Amino acid sequence: MVNNILKAPEGPPSDVEEIKEKSDYLRGTLKEVMLDRISAGIPDDDNRLMKHHGSYLQDDRDLRNERQKQKLEPAYQFMLRVRMPGGVSTPAQWLVMDELSQKYGNHTLKLTTRETFQMHGILKWNMKKTIQEINAALLDTIAACGDVNRNVMCASNPYQSEIHAEVYEWSKKLSDDLLPRTRAYHEIWLDEERVAGTPETEETEPMYGPLYLPRKFKIGIAVPPSNDVDVFSQDLGFIAIVEEGKLIGFNVAIGGGMGMTHGDTATYPQLSKVIGFCKPEQLYDVAEKVITIQRDYGNRSVRKNARFKYTVDRLGLENVKTELENRLGWRLDEAKAYHFDHNGDRYGWVKGVKGKWHFTMFIEGGRVIDYEDYKLMTGLREIAKVHTGDFRLTSNQNLIIGNVTSQKKKQISELIEQYGLSDGRQHSALRRSSMACVALPTCGLAMAEAERYLPKLIDKIEEIMDENGLRDEEITIRMTGCPNGCARHALGEIGFIGKAPGKYNMYLGAAFDGSRLSKMYRENLGEEEILSELRTILPRYAKEREEGEHFGDFVIRAGMIKATTDGTNFHE
């Protein structure tokens, strides 16, 4: 029920709202247009709906100009994203994704910053077969994109295995229970027959409604002291509270989000704020009611201001909390004490409970591929064939070979050595702490390179790090090709946002534990200018830092970046 005091913004609905309204619960004409072989693309209206099915239409931008000259349509292809709560995959599922990437994709897999698989390069006429084979492996792509709750993240490194297992089960339940109820996905991709009904039994969306949400919605669950999921970047974050070895519940944080638009101060990254505590069995109720608040009060007129963080800011944090408690019919408890000390991964072999082992691998940019001198994809394929535990895709685009038995550890260790698979030790701490979005050539929003360029930039920054004795100093560095924030650039101690080809805005000062945003340091820099700035900053850090002081804290103390009272202001 909508509160008469709180109001949604006025204004005509955006074009996407009209598309959803006319879509017949996300069906549109997708079934028909996917059969059309005249074009490798699909109409824009259907592409907007396609996101809710886990896919985006893209084109190879490396080929765009040449194809234009030849008067050919763009080299259309689809990106397909899997819904995989908590990033946990069986070895059998890994092998299926590997096989599909070879058969229908571009022979690579992308491990995303939301703990799941992305495949690129899928042609239109292979989409249905790909989705059906993913479904046969007990995975799906429903709601992996679109104006709905997306893949639910949870802490991935199981050094507290029993707690992590429990938290994973909650993330899985949330992901399943918050799915859209429309049968459109099953009819279009899995050949389910539509059941004709009377008006009383016609399809409805009891939580989302016929228009779904104003924009995407993201949930993450952290297990202190690790903030690997960057819980404050989520629309809705849950922080697990453990007492005497038992999970007693979760602190609730609302209103985070990373996206912004260059030059538009009405858009900004923001950290969520903790508003209280709930018991484990109350988790779904809290999530559902928060989503319905965003459904009812989010901005459906201006999509740039449609994320939940803007709804919270417009209505006021306390008002949103009061509305949440009214909808729940009970009050949140006071938030419990917690502590984060990092938001990265811990590499190499770690022994967990019950005699199981876990091996965390460094995968640069999250790209699983066979390079000429590094057979990463083949090595992981061979491990999947013998592994009896699980694979865990981390929020930092890395991979955990999890729940390895003592009997299998020797065999898997031999395969790791045979293929030279990286536990990160051969790389600098800076590289191990890096993250980049896909950007060019497939992302249509990218203004500059990210995944393909950051490793090359780090090569040059490493020279400066080495000269100053900083090779083993962990500094989080993140790069995105546009301001949408898929690599959570605003939480990098050094962050780069693409502005134009070869040009980036440079940000400094985020907290090592993910609790403070960075701020603009310099605008529109090319590589030489970036390196010049770092040749000044990094030697100062090496000489002037206090014991145990992280880079993000140092640049604030040294006056290079001004801190704000609440640590959340991204704009200068």
Side-chain angles (χ1 to χ4, degrees), residues 382-401:
E382 295 306 310
I383 287 172
K385 289 175 183 177
V386 302
H387 184 30
T388 55
D390 55 42
F391 289 103
R392 296 162 184 245
L393 284 57
T394 82
S395 320
N396 291 289
Q397 302 177 306
N398 295 312
L399 179 67
I400 298 172
I401 304 169

Side-chain angles (χ1 to χ4, degrees), residues 375-426:
K375 302 301 181 185
L376 171 61
M377 198 164 204
T378 298
L380 289 172
R381 185 183 305 137
E382 295 306 310
I383 287 172
K385 289 175 183 177
V386 302
H387 184 30
T388 55
D390 55 42
F391 289 103
R392 296 162 184 245
L393 284 57
T394 82
S395 320
N396 291 289
Q397 302 177 306
N398 295 312
L399 179 67
I400 298 172
I401 304 169
N403 287 305
V404 179
T405 63
S406 296
Q407 293 84 355
K408 287 287 183 183
K409 182 172 181 284
K410 181 175 184 295
Q411 187 178 9
I412 289 176
S413 294
E414 288 172 351
L415 287 168
I416 288 169
E417 186 173 350
Q418 177 183 340
Y419 289 95
L421 302 184
S422 171
D423 65 359
R425 286 180 298 181
Q426 62 269 55

Side-chain angles (χ1 to χ4, degrees), residues 134-164:
I134 288 172
N135 186 73
L138 304 182
L139 294 170
D140 60 57
T141 68
I142 306 170
C145 321
D147 297 345
V148 288
N149 176 60
R150 298 194 179 182
N151 199 52
V152 177
M153 300 169 69
C154 79
S156 48
N157 201 335
Y159 53 79
Q160 297 167 281
S161 295
E162 291 178 344
I163 295 299
H164 279 75

Side-chain angles (χ1 to χ4, degrees), residues 109-116 118 153 156 228 345 347 360-368 376 392-400 432-438 451 454 477-479 486-488:
L109 287 173
K110 175 78 170 179
L111 311 187
T112 79
T113 57
R114 292 199 67 77
E115 302 180 325
T116 190
Q118 270 185 195
M153 300 169 69
S156 48
D228 57 343
D345 292 331
Y347 296 100
T360 303
M361 285 183 57
F362 171 67
I363 300 190
E364 192 156 37
R367 182 67 61 179
V368 178
L376 171 61
R392 296 162 184 245
L393 284 57
T394 82
S395 320
N396 291 289
Q397 302 177 306
N398 295 312
L399 179 67
I400 298 172
R432 293 196 304 265
S433 304
S434 65
M435 191 155 68
C437 70
V438 174
E451 181 191 326
L454 183 58
I477 180 168
R478 297 176 177 181
M479 177 178 281
C486 294
R488 300 192 290 278

Side-chain angles (χ1 to χ4, degrees), residues 15-16 19-20 28-30 33 39 41-52 55-58 76 78 303:
D15 59 340
V16 180
I19 291 167
K20 287 185 289 184
T29 59
L30 273 171
V33 301
S39 169
I42 60 175
D44 186 58
D45 284 10
D46 283 309
N47 191 33
R48 304 288 188 100
L49 297 177
M50 189 70 147
K51 292 189 289 186
H52 300 81
S55 182
Y56 288 78
L57 176 67
Q58 302 176 328
Y76 287 126
F78 287 86
R303 282 184 70 80

